[in-house]
Amino acid sequence: MQITINGETRSLAEGLDVAGLVAELGLTPDGIAVAVDHAVVARGRWQGRTLDDGAQVEIVTAMQGG
């Protein structure tokens, strides 16, 4: 399936959920937020929130600074 992550189209395995995507991208779950098709997905729902072909995913990383 193909999904768009932060504006970049990628091919991924069917049936992947948000938790699996975060792991596949090598990201640490702490300090990030994920939205699928313009709706934020609570971290407690990452497992089981499968991604559909054509999904639009935005991953935002919290940063310190000022």
Side-chain angles (χ1 to χ4, degrees), residues 44-55:
R45 294 190 170 158
W46 286 6
Q47 283 188 311
R49 173 46 174 103
T50 56
L51 301 169
D52 298 321
D53 187 46

Side-chain angles (χ1 to χ4, degrees), residues 27-34 43 46 59-64:
L27 300 172
T28 303
D30 296 327
I32 65 171
V34 179
R43 186 171 303 172
W46 286 6
I59 300 174
V60 180
T61 304
M63 296 177 61
Q64 290 183 324

Side-chain angles (χ1 to χ4, degrees), residues 2 5 7 9-10 15 20-22 31-32 39 49-52:
Q2 289 199 334
I5 305 168
T9 302
R10 296 187 59 157
L21 174 64
V22 169
I32 65 171
R49 173 46 174 103
T50 56
L51 301 169
D52 298 321

Side-chain angles (χ1 to χ4, degrees), residues 6-48:
N6 294 353
E8 181 180 320
T9 302
R10 296 187 59 157
S11 294
L12 298 167
E14 292 284 334
L16 190 66
D17 63 12
V18 173
L21 174 64
V22 169
E24 185 161 318
L25 295 175
L27 300 172
T28 303
D30 296 327
I32 65 171
V34 179
V36 178
D37 296 328
H38 309 290
V40 174
V41 180
R43 186 171 303 172
R45 294 190 170 158
W46 286 6
Q47 283 188 311

